[in-house]
Amino acid sequence: MLRIAVLASGRGSNLQALVDAIAAGRLDARIVGVFSDRADALALQRASAAGIPAQSLDPRAFANRVGFDDAFFARVDATAPDVIACAGYMRLISEASVQARRGRLVNIHPSLLPAFKGLRTHAQALQAGVSEHGASVHYVTPDLDGGPVIAQARVPVLPGDDAESLGRRVLAREHPLLVETLGLFAAGRVALRDDRVQLDGVPLSTPLQLAANQRFA
Ligand code: GRF
């Protein structure tokens, strides 16, 4: 069974979506640990409530990023995850820690990458005047929000949207997107080869479109 480690800094609604999908039998996987850089992350409480081992490590206790990441990922690795999912994990990860886990480290980002990297993606989308927005699950590489995209979920930008309403619409699609993407990992269908995403052994030319057929509000 696929062993998932989840990295989260805050609210943890994506973590909760995974917990719920596993409990409902919609995702054949096990969350082996939840790890945070913030002791007050709601994600840690959600993990504990679900009986999942959860721990945090304070970056301020370390002299530099590499020192923190070495200690942090030693804890993650101790749970022997097949895949490490960053779900609202707000820290940059040092290059060596990323490279050592290439092909096993994924992130969910609230935009249709490569558009709108970084923070405040919903405001960026509104400012750019796009008619469509969404979320992406991608492999993490040292290039921030720049790794190969596995799958995306799209939502319309509606008249009168502000960053909050648009963000809510995207978040509602993030949850099934993350569940469905990790379902592909659980089925052994997705892999990273030569810096390209492969599905069933065939390189993808465009990201998969998942979490579709939803009504939008
Ligand atoms: C999500 O929008 C995710 O895409 C981004 O951070 C947010 C985390 O939300 N990386 P949550 O903590 O899963 O509720």
Side-chain angles (χ1 to χ4, degrees):
M1 190 180 295
L2 185 79
R3 298 173 64 86
I4 304 171
V6 176
L7 276 45
S9 299
R11 179 179 54 186
S13 70
N14 278 287
L15 166 67
Q16 191 68 55
L18 295 176
V19 167
D20 294 346
I22 291 169
R26 289 184 282 109
L27 177 61
D28 187 22
R30 177 170 157 215
I31 302 175
V32 292
V34 173
F35 302 87
S36 185
D37 57 328
R38 296 191 56 119
D40 61 353
L42 182 55
L44 294 172
Q45 293 176 38
R46 293 183 192 264
S48 299
I52 299 166
Q55 51 179 300
S56 66
L57 196 61
D58 187 346
R60 292 170 298 191
F62 294 84
N64 54 39
R65 184 176 304 284
V66 170
F68 172 79
D69 280 352
D70 285 351
F72 188 75
F73 281 99
R75 294 173 177 215
V76 175
D77 292 346
T79 64
D82 299 306
V83 59
I84 303 166
C86 300
Y89 183 64
M90 300 308 288
R91 275 183 71 80
L92 291 175
I93 303 173
S94 55
E95 179 158 358
S97 286
V98 170
Q99 297 289 19
R101 293 162 189 83
R102 225 179 160 93
R104 294 193 301 121
L105 191 56
V106 301
N107 178 50
I108 185 160
H109 179 79
S111 77
L112 296 173
L113 291 170
F116 314 133
K117 297 176 179 178
L119 299 174
R120 302 182 61 250
T121 56
H122 311 308
Q124 289 189 53
L126 289 171
Q127 177 136 32
V130 293
S131 59
E132 219 181 14
H133 186 40
S136 305
V137 177
H138 65 94
Y139 283 108
V140 177
T141 66
D143 181 14
L144 179 68
D145 298 330
V149 178
I150 305 165
Q152 295 179 324
R154 314 178 92 84
V155 304
V157 179
L158 299 178
D161 265 341
D162 57 16
E164 283 68 35
S165 63
L166 183 55
R168 274 196 301 276
R169 192 174 308 120
V170 171
L171 188 67
R173 299 273 57 75
E174 285 189 35
H175 299 157
L177 172 66
L178 187 59
V179 169
E180 290 176 29
T181 306
L182 288 174
L184 294 174
F185 279 85
R189 298 186 57 193
V190 67
L192 184 68
R193 295 269 180 279
D194 302 327
D195 276 335
R196 295 198 54 192
V197 180
Q198 287 195 348
L199 180 72
D200 300 331
V202 179
L204 283 185
S205 50
T206 55
L208 297 166
Q209 304 299 312
L210 299 181
N213 303 322
Q214 310 288 334
R215 286 212 228 103
F216 297 107

